Amino acid sequence: MKLLEAGAPEIALNEVALDDLAAALETGANDLAVRIGGETELKAIAPFASRLKAIVVAFSAFRDGRGFSLATLLRERANFGGELRAAGGVIPEISRQLKRCGFDSVELPVGASVEDWRKSLDAFSAVYQPAADGAQTVWALRA
């Protein structure tokens, strides 16, 4: 998972507001991104998902799990194959869950320690349940 520090050049995306997305896509642009909250319903974004370069899911707080659900739905039901990025109220302790739900990158909050995020991501090497990230479970590895 890519860890994007505040102010890093790779953070920049050609973002369009969700309300303006349909019109922007009609212009033929193929490098668009949208920033949505975890409370956004899948049906609001799914029709556009295949035509987007990136979707940024902004968490209102680390304790708000709706962004995890939305990410999983985007990957599994809307077949979104572009970059899925987490932003907002995220902390290192949820990094593994972000990855398992299909996030490719995280916009780290200002002052966040990249080292803490890496440690959290590397804390476990095995998974027990299938998820959107496609990692093989220990049960599949034993077979």
Side-chain angles (χ1 to χ4, degrees), residues 90-111:
V90 291
I91 58 175
E93 289 80 359
I94 65 171
S95 62
R96 289 278 300 159
Q97 290 83 358
L98 291 170
K99 185 176 179 183
R100 300 287 342 264
C101 289
F103 284 99
D104 301 300
S105 60
V106 179
E107 290 180 7
L108 300 181
V110 175

Side-chain angles (χ1 to χ4, degrees), residues 37-121:
E39 72 281 357
T40 304
E41 291 194 33
L42 180 65
K43 66 183 176 184
I45 188 71
F48 310 110
S50 66
R51 298 169 58 198
L52 293 171
K53 178 180 179 179
I55 298 175
V56 181
V57 178
F59 286 73
S60 59
F62 74 88
R63 63 187 177 278
D64 185 357
R66 295 176 293 178
F68 294 107
S69 300
L70 182 57
T72 300
L73 292 172
L74 284 165
R75 291 292 192 207
E76 295 179 355
R77 292 194 187 161
N79 297 316
F80 179 64
E83 179 185 356
L84 191 53
R85 184 183 293 184
V90 291
I91 58 175
E93 289 80 359
I94 65 171
S95 62
R96 289 278 300 159
Q97 290 83 358
L98 291 170
K99 185 176 179 183
R100 300 287 342 264
C101 289
F103 284 99
D104 301 300
S105 60
V106 179
E107 290 180 7
L108 300 181
V110 175
S113 166
V114 174
E115 184 179 329
D116 289 348
W117 277 82
R118 290 200 196 289
K119 283 180 187 176
S120 187
L121 278 168

Side-chain angles (χ1 to χ4, degrees), residues 118-132:
R118 290 200 196 289
K119 283 180 187 176
S120 187
L121 278 168
D122 297 337
F124 299 98
S125 61
V127 297
Y128 290 87
Q129 298 171 325

